[in-house]
Amino acid sequence: MAVKIKTQYGTIDITNEVIATVVGGAATDNYGVVGMASKNQIRDNVNDILRRENYARGVVVRQEENGVAIDVYIIASYGTKISEVSRSVQAKVKYNLETMLGVTANSVNVIVQGVRVLAD
């Protein structure tokens, strides 16, 4: 499925993969986020941090009546306050979706799949 935006010149279709890439970039840009995690770690057999081209594996986009609902799966950095990191991710994802794509995020759910210690 895709988000359809109607303009005076026609329609714009934005696929879920594009939304997932924007969401993944916004999430990993926050302090305290080590990277994106796969939403199905057992099925994907992936316990590693996802690269930019695989952000769609760590984001779930659900279409709603007047916007989208987003689930973001992240790996947090050890020693950071996870609740603050999650709030920061929620705010940045919502802002980026509205400014870059013109899509309203009704909800942004952050699921912390793991905690990693960063080497100095």
Side-chain angles (χ1 to χ4, degrees), residues 8-21:
Q8 64 184 11
Y9 303 112
T11 60
I12 301 169
D13 292 336
I14 302 172
T15 65
N16 287 349
E17 289 78 22
V18 172
I19 294 171
T21 302

Side-chain angles (χ1 to χ4, degrees), residues 87-107:
R87 281 191 198 104
S88 176
V89 168
Q90 287 174 326
K92 184 121 185 190
V93 165
K94 188 171 175 65
Y95 175 79
N96 279 8
L97 282 176
E98 289 174 0
T99 57
M100 295 172 100
L101 302 178
V103 175
T104 303
N106 296 334
S107 65

Side-chain angles (χ1 to χ4, degrees), residues 20-21 23-25 28 36 50-59:
T21 302
V23 168
T28 56
M36 299 287 296
L50 297 176
R51 294 195 173 118
R52 185 172 300 275
E53 60 271 4
N54 292 326
Y55 280 167
R57 286 181 163 178
V59 177

